[in-house]
Amino acid sequence: MAGTIEAFAGARLLLGAGLTLGLVFLPLLAVGCAEGRAPGGMFGSLELFSKAGAVAAGLAAAADNEWFGPGAPVLTGTAAAVAAAFLVALPAMIRRSFRPRRSR
């Protein structure tokens, strides 16, 4: 939680920069994924899951606020960050554990 107005403004600016970069680069990533496919279908699927994620996030935020009170954004954000970090690291962990060993 921001203790001063300057910290709050800095956090908001950082969040805004992240959202802006995400919105700018998302279509570029979609173009890369759509190579060899019908771009309209790819865009439709991307929009569907994007909007569904936004609706799910809103519902989760409302439920969390009801169950955990004002501290809910910190708890939910931390849980989401830990889950995302785990999911990003999971493929690397799986590849390492199934690496074939050479016999000598």
Side-chain angles (χ1 to χ4, degrees):
M1 309 279 186
T4 64
I5 191 71
E6 291 83 9
F8 178 73
R12 292 293 296 186
L13 285 171
L14 184 64
L15 177 64
L19 288 172
T20 300
L21 289 173
L23 288 173
V24 168
F25 286 106
L26 184 62
L28 297 175
L29 291 171
V31 167
C33 291
E35 287 183 30
R37 298 184 203 144
M42 181 71 182
F43 180 75
S45 297
L46 185 65
E47 278 298 302
L48 170 72
F49 286 104
S50 174
K51 300 301 184 220
V55 169
L59 292 173
D64 284 349
N65 192 37
E66 182 67 29
W67 292 331
F68 300 117
V74 174
L75 295 173
T76 306
T78 302
V82 168
F86 176 74
L87 291 175
V88 167
L90 187 63
M93 291 187 304
I94 290 173
R95 271 185 261 138
R96 269 194 216 130
S97 66
F98 291 115
R99 187 180 305 166
R101 299 179 190 249
R102 295 182 186 178
S103 61
R104 294 183 186 214

